[in-house]
């Protein structure tokens, strides 16, 4: 764990959970495992609630105190919360967005509490007299569970350990039951019976289930899901992000039809392919032909031509694994991530050092090892400029210099000096720079907010007054008088602040996309070895 990762984790914890939780998390990150005596109990509960801290028997064994370890990786996932929420919104609408937002905010929730909270929020945003059907929220929740974007989280007590009277709690994760569909009564969620059983549970008289009516309390005890908690399955979201990145790369490199074929292959093997696999499960051309959306109107000969084009493409996103069934094809996930990471590195070099430096960088990636004279000749760049660019890239650790002596004395006159680019260490270096960049963006956003704290508080007070006046049916003159409490210079300053904050937020999301690609490539490389 690097200093930049610790710094970024501390900023994220402070922004989301406050200063006390940030101090506890940072102390754990730097110190490793600690027992409860050295920590703040409430802050630790927040970290455990959000899955960022785990615990178990300490160095003294089961008879000793429990020790707690914080997960740097889980903390960094908070950078992707906006992407998780946006994905849920794009797939399942506003209801799915609010479900995801509530669970991310609380770490874990029962379905009954989630349904009630989301339905109440949707009703508040509707016009008077309108309301949200609980069944719509249940449907969105069930679809998120069916597609594995939500998974079960449960805690069960163990018998006392080491003669102590306390009860140790631990997380129990079931590989098969994590994505099991919920059911209010039997804990097996049958999609056809969910709505009916929910209505029977809350409305024994089978009245219409509406938020603006006055039902009994929608509690876990009443609905039969007490102790059944749900959390966000971040690995499923990361799988979705990875597939979208591959599909977008194919679309930009070839065309939309090719990307749809790759999308179909990924969708067919999504359930059967492990998350860390280098290849997807092989699918036949006949199966791909049946699964391609009819709207693309692709005939079988055209499909075979596209598959051949994808296999022969230098990017090697698709490979051929056999000839049965019209040909067996796989998506080369590791190769795809390596190519995406490579394109990211080339883009960074071009943006920071110019197109000529990027030309040298790409040349070294392709040729692997070149002397300075060969770099000048192949890149067609004057010797002086090429030398300056190579030394600049070398000083930034983007290019490495390898010495190959012809004699044991390592005399410079009898030594080959070869320039090369090692993609994996360079990707790790860029990843640390991305962590530093996001930390700087968060620091700047906090500074901007602190500098304009008085204006923001005044704006919030006025907005609250306007909301209460509008709810009570105030006259337009009264509303205009309240709005004039903010002067024109203050309004202009608030607009500039909102513009800066939005720009900083957008930059954070863009850098996180780069972080995700680099992390995926590094993990894929470590798993493939």
């Amino acid at each position: 764990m690097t200093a930049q990762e610790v710094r970024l984790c501390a900023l994220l914890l402070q922004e989301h959970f406050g200063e006390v939780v940030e101090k506890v998390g940072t102390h754990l990150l730097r110190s490793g495992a600690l027992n409860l005596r050295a920590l703040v109990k409430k802050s630790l509960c927040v970290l455990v609630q959000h899955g960022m801290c785990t615990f178990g028997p300490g160095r003294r064994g089961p008879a000793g105190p429990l020790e707690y370890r914080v997960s740097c990786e889980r903390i960094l996932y908070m950078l992707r919360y906006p992407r998780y929420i946006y994905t849920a919104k794009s797939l399942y609408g506003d209801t799915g967005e609010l479900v995801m937002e509530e669970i991310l905010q609380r770490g874990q929730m029962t379905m009954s509490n989630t349904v009630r909270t989301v339905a109440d929020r949707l009703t508040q945003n509707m016009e008077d007299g309108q309301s949200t059907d609980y069944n719509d929220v249940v449907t969105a929740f069930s679809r998120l569970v069916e597609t594995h974007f939500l998974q079960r989280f449960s805690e069960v007590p163990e018998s006392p350990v080491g003669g102590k009277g306390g009860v140790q709690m631990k997380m129990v994760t079931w590989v098969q039951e994590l994505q099991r569909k919920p059911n209010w009564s039997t804990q097996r969620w049958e999609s056809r019976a969910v709505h009916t059983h929910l209505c029977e549970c809350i409305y024994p008289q089978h009245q219409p289930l509406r938020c603006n009516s006055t039902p009994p309390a929608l509690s876990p005890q009443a609905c039969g899901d007490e102790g059944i908690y749900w959390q966000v399955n971040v690995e499923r979201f990361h799988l979705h992000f990875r597939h979208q990145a591959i599909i977008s790369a194919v679309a930009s490199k070839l065309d939309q039809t090719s990307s749809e074929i790759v999308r179909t292959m990924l969708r067919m093997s999504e359930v059967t392919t492990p998350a860390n696999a280098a290849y997807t499960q092989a699918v036949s051309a006949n199966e791909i032909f049946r699964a391609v959306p009819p709207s693309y109107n692709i005939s079988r000969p055209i499909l075979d031509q596209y598959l051949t084009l994808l296999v022969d493409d230098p990017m090697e996103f698709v490979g051929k694994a056999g000839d049965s069934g019209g040909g067996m094809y796989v998506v080369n996930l590791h190769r795809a991530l390596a190519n995406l990471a490579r394109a990211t590195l080339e883009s960074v070099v071009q943006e920071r050092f110019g197109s000529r430096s990027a030309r040298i960088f790409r040349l070294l990636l392709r040729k692997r090892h070149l002397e300075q004279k060969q770099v000048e000749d192949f890149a067609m760049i004057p010797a002086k400029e090429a030398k300056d660019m190579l030394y600049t890239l070398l000083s930034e650790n983007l290019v490495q210099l390898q010495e190959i002596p012809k004699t044991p004395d390592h005399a410079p006159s009898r030594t080959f000096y070869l320039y090369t680019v090692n993609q994996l260490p360079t990707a790790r270096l860029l990843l640390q720079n991305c962590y530093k960049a996001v930390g700087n963006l968060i620091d700047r956003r906090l500074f901007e907010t602190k500098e304009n704290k008085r204006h923001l508080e005044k704006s919030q007070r006025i907005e609250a007054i306007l909301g209460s006046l509008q709810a009570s049916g105030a006259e337009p003159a009264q509303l205009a008088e309240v709005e004039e409490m903010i002067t024109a210079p203050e309004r202009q300053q608030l607009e500039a602040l909102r513009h800066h904050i939005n720009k900083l937020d957008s930059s954070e999301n863009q850098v996180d996309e780069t972080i995700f690609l680099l992390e995926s490539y590094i993990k894929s490389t470590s798993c493939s070895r």
Side-chain angles (χ1 to χ4, degrees):
M1 190 184 314
T2 63
Q4 295 301 334
E5 289 177 292
V6 173
R7 172 175 173 255
L8 181 53
C9 289
L11 289 170
L12 290 169
L13 289 173
Q14 182 179 3
E15 182 179 9
H16 286 266
F17 306 125
E19 186 177 355
V20 177
V21 177
E22 178 265 324
K23 289 182 178 179
V24 172
T26 304
H27 191 56
L28 278 173
L29 283 172
R30 291 172 176 166
S31 304
L34 292 174
N35 58 54
L36 186 59
R37 297 175 184 175
L39 298 172
V40 180
K41 186 180 296 185
K42 184 175 181 181
S43 301
L44 201 60
C45 289
V46 173
L47 293 172
V48 173
Q49 172 82 7
H50 288 264
M52 299 172 187
C53 185
T54 58
F55 50 90
R59 285 157 287 192
R60 298 181 183 177
L66 293 176
E67 289 188 346
Y68 297 79
R69 293 175 177 85
V70 72
S71 171
C72 176
E73 187 178 37
R74 296 289 302 186
I75 296 174
L76 293 177
Y77 286 164
M78 286 193 289
L79 285 172
R80 295 194 190 118
Y81 280 8
R83 293 183 70 188
Y84 299 157
I85 296 172
Y86 178 77
T87 301
K89 178 181 177 66
S90 61
L91 294 176
Y92 305 109
D94 294 338
T95 306
E97 174 191 12
L98 292 179
V99 169
M100 191 60 55
E101 184 180 338
E102 286 295 327
I103 296 180
L104 284 172
Q105 187 176 3
R106 289 174 169 81
Q108 53 193 356
M109 293 180 70
T110 61
M111 181 177 176
S112 55
N113 288 337
T114 307
V115 169
R116 183 190 68 245
T117 305
V118 171
D120 290 344
R121 287 183 60 182
L122 289 171
T123 301
Q124 290 175 2
N125 296 327
M126 292 182 173
E127 298 178 357
D128 294 339
Q130 295 184 353
S131 60
T132 301
D133 195 332
Y134 274 102
N135 295 337
D136 296 337
V137 185
V138 171
T139 300
F141 193 104
S142 300
R143 291 178 67 188
L144 285 166
V145 173
E146 290 170 358
T147 51
H148 300 181
F149 287 108
L150 293 179
Q151 65 182 9
R152 289 183 61 173
F153 174 90
S154 184
E155 293 181 340
V156 296
E158 290 182 347
S159 57
V161 179
K164 294 189 176 183
V167 178
Q168 179 183 359
M169 304 295 288
K170 73 173 184 178
M171 184 191 304
V172 176
T173 304
W174 300 281
V175 174
Q176 296 180 348
E177 294 187 5
L178 280 178
Q179 288 86 25
R180 213 168 50 165
K181 294 166 60 179
N183 186 303
W184 295 102
S185 57
T186 64
Q187 298 181 8
R188 291 188 59 85
W189 291 54
E190 302 297 334
S191 56
R192 295 182 179 178
V194 167
H195 298 163
T196 303
H197 190 80
L198 178 61
C199 294
E200 292 175 354
C201 173
I202 304 175
Y203 282 93
Q205 297 81 10
H206 301 285
Q207 299 174 357
L209 190 57
R210 297 289 178 181
C211 290
N212 60 346
S213 52
T214 57
L218 183 58
S219 63
Q221 295 85 354
C223 297
D225 68 336
E226 184 180 7
I228 302 177
Y229 291 92
W230 297 87
Q231 65 179 0
V232 175
N233 184 6
V234 295
E235 297 300 331
R236 177 66 180 86
F237 276 102
H238 294 168
L239 193 68
H240 178 77
F241 296 157
R242 183 186 69 183
H243 290 176
Q244 290 302 313
I246 294 173
I247 293 166
S248 300
V250 173
S252 60
K253 181 71 165 55
L254 299 175
D255 60 3
Q256 193 64 34
T257 304
S258 300
S259 68
E260 191 59 39
I261 293 173
V262 174
R263 185 197 303 273
T264 302
M265 296 175 64
L266 290 171
R267 186 173 63 247
M268 293 172 65
S269 59
E270 195 170 38
V271 178
T272 57
T273 302
N276 57 354
Y279 301 88
T280 61
Q281 292 292 328
V283 292
S284 67
N286 295 330
E287 294 173 328
I288 298 173
F289 178 70
R290 290 192 294 267
V292 170
S295 58
Y296 277 82
N297 196 22
I298 301 176
S299 62
R300 180 55 193 273
I302 297 297
L303 176 64
D304 291 338
Q305 293 179 12
Y306 268 106
L307 289 173
T308 303
L309 177 66
L310 287 166
V311 171
D312 295 338
D313 188 78
M315 301 291 284
E316 300 180 6
F317 278 29
V318 176
K320 193 170 183 178
D323 296 322
S324 61
M328 302 295 292
Y329 296 90
V330 298
V331 179
N332 191 338
L333 300 174
H334 174 65
R335 175 62 62 183
L337 290 172
N339 283 323
L340 290 173
R342 179 174 179 170
T344 301
L345 296 176
E346 294 175 0
S347 175
V348 169
V349 172
Q350 180 165 342
E351 292 298 324
R352 288 189 61 188
F353 306 106
S355 58
R356 290 194 170 188
S357 296
R359 189 192 310 171
I360 294 175
F361 189 81
R362 283 192 292 267
L363 179 65
L364 292 174
L365 279 171
R366 287 170 174 80
K367 299 292 186 179
R368 296 298 180 90
H369 296 87
L370 290 176
E371 291 183 288
Q372 182 175 322
K373 184 66 171 64
Q374 292 175 311
V375 172
E376 299 165 6
D377 295 339
F378 284 127
M380 294 182 291
I381 297 175
K384 186 177 184 303
E385 293 184 20
K387 181 179 179 180
D388 291 341
M389 292 174 185
L390 279 171
Y391 287 175
T392 301
L393 294 174
L394 187 63
S395 65
E396 295 289 337
N397 293 323
L398 296 171
V399 169
Q400 291 77 39
L401 184 62
Q402 185 173 353
E403 299 180 4
I404 303 179
K406 291 188 286 186
T407 57
D409 59 356
H410 288 262
S413 60
R414 293 184 295 274
T415 301
F416 293 108
Y417 294 94
L418 302 180
Y419 290 93
T420 184
V421 174
N422 296 325
Q423 184 168 322
L424 184 60
T426 306
R428 290 196 178 104
L429 174 67
L430 181 58
L431 181 61
Q432 297 304 315
N433 291 339
C434 289
Y435 289 146
K436 183 177 180 180
V438 176
N440 292 340
L441 289 170
I442 295 176
D443 269 338
R444 185 64 189 181
R445 177 157 47 81
L446 295 175
F447 173 78
E448 292 280 353
T449 305
K450 184 178 180 180
E451 288 293 309
N452 296 272
K453 182 178 180 181
R454 185 179 65 84
H455 296 307
L456 289 172
E457 291 177 348
K458 182 178 179 181
S459 175
Q460 292 171 357
R461 287 197 303 269
I462 292 175
E463 288 178 359
I465 294 172
L466 286 173
S468 61
L469 290 175
Q470 289 173 352
S472 60
E475 296 293 332
Q478 290 180 299
L479 298 177
E481 184 178 354
V482 173
E483 290 178 351
E484 290 176 357
M485 294 173 63
I486 298 182
T487 63
E490 289 177 336
R491 197 178 302 277
Q492 185 177 2
Q493 191 170 357
L494 285 171
E495 288 298 326
L497 175 63
R498 291 191 183 97
H499 174 73
H500 292 157
I501 296 298
N502 291 336
K503 196 170 182 179
L504 291 170
D505 288 339
S506 177
S507 299
E508 282 182 41
N509 293 331
Q510 291 174 1
V511 177
D512 180 63
E513 292 180 9
T514 303
I515 290 175
F516 174 74
L517 279 178
L518 295 175
E519 284 181 345
S520 300
Y521 163 65
I522 294 171
K523 289 179 182 178
S524 175
T525 304
S526 62
C527 292
S528 61
R529 289 181 174 178

